[in-house]
């Protein structure tokens, strides 16, 4: 078992209480395991990898991992685009719970990574991302009824909220770049890739491409 998968297994074993569903423990464990691994190999802070400051990370532990202590995190730098995505997610969450507030910030930060979003969240496949969105952001899941890639969808929503027109084509089916938005999101899960000793791409700013 690789380092990242070991962290995931430990978090999953330590996580959960009567108020946290097993699926949410899995989601949080995936994201945090990948973020912890990246912060180690890239020499960055956990705040950089998660988008959460020290108190927010402590709150995540109180919510999901009551027996886990995390390293000092510092404060993340949140760019305007990331803040806009945080706002969109928060306005469309299902319960407005503390966990969902933390989840919006985790997702917004992980969107800055270069892979498919399900990969950058440490999930096993895109189906798990669909389940996450349906459970915690059902209005966004309904709006994305054409199954656009989630990073593309978020980017489109941010542009719309700022009054910009993202695409020149009148409808998606007439666009020459259709596959870039709606193509298959295949690939290997990053936790599995790390366990197999394969390289993982470094961070990049989200530009609506992935």
């Amino acid at each position: 078992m690789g380092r990242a998968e070991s962290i995931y297994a430990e978090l999953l074993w330590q996580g959960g209480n009567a108020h946290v569903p097993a699926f949410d423990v899995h989601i949080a464990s995936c994201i945090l395991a990948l973020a912890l691994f990246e912060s180690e190999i890239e020499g960055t802070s956990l705040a950089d990898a998660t988008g959460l400051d020290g108190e927010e990370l402590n709150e995540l532990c109180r919510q999901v991992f009551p027996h886990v202590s995390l390293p000092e995190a510092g404060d993340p730098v949140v760019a305007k685009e990331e803040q806009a995505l945080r706002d969109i997610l928060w306005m469309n969450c299902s319960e407005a719970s503390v966990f969902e507030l933390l989840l919006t910030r985790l997702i917004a930060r992980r969107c800055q990574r270069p892979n498919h979003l399900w990969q950058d969240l440490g999930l096993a496949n895109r189906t798990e991302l669909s389940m996450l969105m349906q459970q915690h952001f059902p209005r966004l899941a309904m709006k994305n009824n054409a199954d656009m890639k989630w990073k593309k969808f978020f980017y489109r929503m941010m542009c719309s909220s700022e009054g910009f027109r993202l695409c020149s084509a009148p409808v998606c089916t007439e666009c020459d770049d259709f596959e870039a938005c709606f193509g298959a999101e295949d690939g290997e899960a990053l936790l599995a890739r790390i366990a197999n000793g394969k390289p993982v791409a470094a961070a990049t700013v989200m530009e609506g491409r992935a």
Side-chain angles (χ1 to χ4, degrees), residues 165 167-172 174-176:
R165 182 177 175 83
C167 305
S168 57
V171 293
C172 290
E174 297 180 14
C175 180
D176 293 334

Side-chain angles (χ1 to χ4, degrees), residues 119-135:
Q119 292 175 312
D120 289 327
L121 293 174
L123 303 179
N125 48 55
R126 193 178 190 274
T127 298
E128 289 191 340
L129 176 56
S130 297
M131 292 171 60
L132 184 162
M133 297 303 297
Q134 289 163 6
Q135 180 171 324

Side-chain angles (χ1 to χ4, degrees), residues 136-205:
H136 290 291
F137 308 97
R139 289 187 293 275
L140 294 179
M142 289 181 64
K143 288 179 181 178
N144 191 16
N145 56 9
D147 207 25
M148 179 181 280
K149 294 178 182 179
W150 278 106
K151 286 187 181 181
K152 286 283 191 179
F153 178 80
F154 291 150
Y155 187 70
R156 188 175 189 176
M157 288 202 69
M158 285 189 287
C159 288
S160 297
S161 68
E162 294 293 331
F164 298 116
R165 182 177 175 83
L166 178 63
C167 305
S168 57
V171 293
C172 290
T173 52
E174 297 180 14
C175 180
D176 293 334
D177 205 24
F178 184 87
E179 283 298 313
C181 292
F182 296 94
E185 291 190 76
D186 300 325
E188 187 176 14
L190 292 193
L191 292 181
R193 174 176 286 272
I194 292 165
N196 292 330
K198 298 177 182 177
V200 178
T204 188
V205 176

